[in-house]
Each structure stands twice: as C-alpha cells, then as structure tokens.
C-alpha cells in the first residue's frame, strides 16, 4: 500500500495538540482529500487511508490533532453549504 504521502499529509495538514478533541475518521478523510486535491495526488480509498494512519500511529477518534494549513481552509470551506443571498 503506498503510504509515503501520508507522512507529508500529517506534517502539512495536522498538528498534534493535546488540548483539542480527537479528530474523527470522517474529518481526517475529508481533510486528506482536500490536501490531495491541492497536491494533485489521487487519494487512497477511505479504508486504505485509515490503515495508513494506523501504520503512522494515528488512530482516528483517539489521537488528538488539530487541522492546519491550506488543506484545512479548503476542507472547512467545502464542508459548509454554499451561501445563498436568498437566505437573508
């Protein structure tokens, strides 16, 4: 399983932070796919991504990390529904 880019993802898009709640697998995978898009890398399937994270000592839902960097901004923006001026 190709996991060489997982280390780079963890270094660029997350920061260990014991003050934060653990990130769940959905959040981490969404962040990962945003990071992959920005780096023009084909993302691993979700189950392979989870396996790669565990190989790197990151257990979704238990390891406390904070999202960071451009992928975090992209993930946050893409996670919210589009703004509609009709809602005003």
């Amino acid at each position: 399983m190709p996991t060489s880019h997982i280390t780079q993802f963890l270094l660029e898009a997350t920061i260990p932070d014991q003050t934060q709640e653990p990130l769940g697998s959905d959040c981490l995978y969404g962040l990962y796919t945003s990071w992959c898009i920005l780096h023009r890398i084909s993302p691993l399937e979700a189950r392979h991504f989870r396996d790669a994270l565990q190989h790197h000592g990151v257990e979704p839902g238990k390891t406390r990390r904070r999202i960071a960097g451009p992928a975090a901004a992209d993930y946050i923006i893409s996670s919210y529904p589009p703004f509609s001026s009709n809602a005003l």
Side-chain angles (χ1 to χ4, degrees):
M1 160 179 34
T3 60
S4 59
H5 69 275
I6 298 298
T7 300
Q8 185 180 356
F9 159 72
L10 291 169
L11 290 171
E12 292 180 9
T14 70
I15 299 170
D17 188 340
Q18 294 303 312
T19 66
Q20 300 292 309
E21 292 296 318
L23 295 173
S25 59
D26 289 343
C27 178
L28 278 169
Y29 190 69
L31 178 65
Y32 168 71
T33 57
S34 289
W35 181 86
C36 286
I37 289 167
L38 293 172
H39 286 82
R40 295 187 171 105
I41 295 172
S42 295
L44 298 171
E45 292 180 20
R47 63 188 170 109
H48 294 302
F49 174 69
R50 284 190 303 274
D51 292 344
L53 284 180
Q54 288 179 345
H55 177 75
H56 285 78
V58 175
E59 192 170 342
K62 294 186 180 178
T63 304
R64 295 175 183 263
R65 300 184 81 81
R66 162 169 57 100
I67 64 176
D74 182 72
Y75 170 68
I76 291 167
I77 290 169
S78 65
S79 296
Y80 284 91
F83 176 74
S84 171
S85 59
N86 295 335
L88 297 176

